[in-house]
Amino acid sequence: MNPVDMVVPTNPLAAVACWVGILSLFTCYGGAVLGPIALITGIISLKKGAVIRESAYGRGASVARSWIGIVTGTLGLLFGFAAIVIAILGHHR
């Protein structure tokens, strides 16, 4: 296990997917924009992760971060679209 893997991600796309996905859950309308970014970077990082040379911990952390980004990005996207629809429907009353 490389101690650097715990601090500095060797797969930066996985880290981006994770943090942008989490952020998409905390922004109301921003989830509609940030969600797809997290989803796409999460999928790409899973595909490219096989090419990156990582320790076992780094590989596991990258896969976990990728999946966190995919799941939270999808939820953020759904919540963002729901907020937009609710705002539009509420405005037309």
Side-chain angles (χ1 to χ4, degrees), residues 14-27 31 34-39 41 65 68-77:
V16 168
C18 180
W19 290 111
V20 172
I22 291 170
L23 183 62
S24 76
L25 292 176
F26 293 105
T27 57
L34 297 174
I37 294 170
L39 186 61
T41 54
R65 287 180 183 129
I68 290 169
I70 290 169
V71 171
T72 57
T74 301
L75 291 174
L77 175 64

Side-chain angles (χ1 to χ4, degrees), residues 1-89:
M1 177 168 99
N2 185 354
V4 176
D5 283 339
M6 288 191 272
V7 180
V8 179
T10 52
N11 186 345
L13 277 178
V16 168
C18 180
W19 290 111
V20 172
I22 291 170
L23 183 62
S24 76
L25 292 176
F26 293 105
T27 57
C28 193
Y29 303 112
V33 175
L34 297 174
I37 294 170
L39 186 61
I40 291 168
T41 54
I43 292 169
I44 292 172
S45 71
L46 283 177
K47 291 183 179 185
K48 290 198 175 211
V51 181
I52 298 172
R53 292 178 51 170
E54 299 175 297
S55 67
Y57 176 83
R59 189 170 31 259
S62 292
V63 169
R65 287 180 183 129
S66 297
W67 278 108
I68 290 169
I70 290 169
V71 171
T72 57
T74 301
L75 291 174
L77 175 64
L78 294 174
F79 292 155
F81 277 140
I84 291 169
V85 168
I86 290 169
I88 291 171
L89 293 177

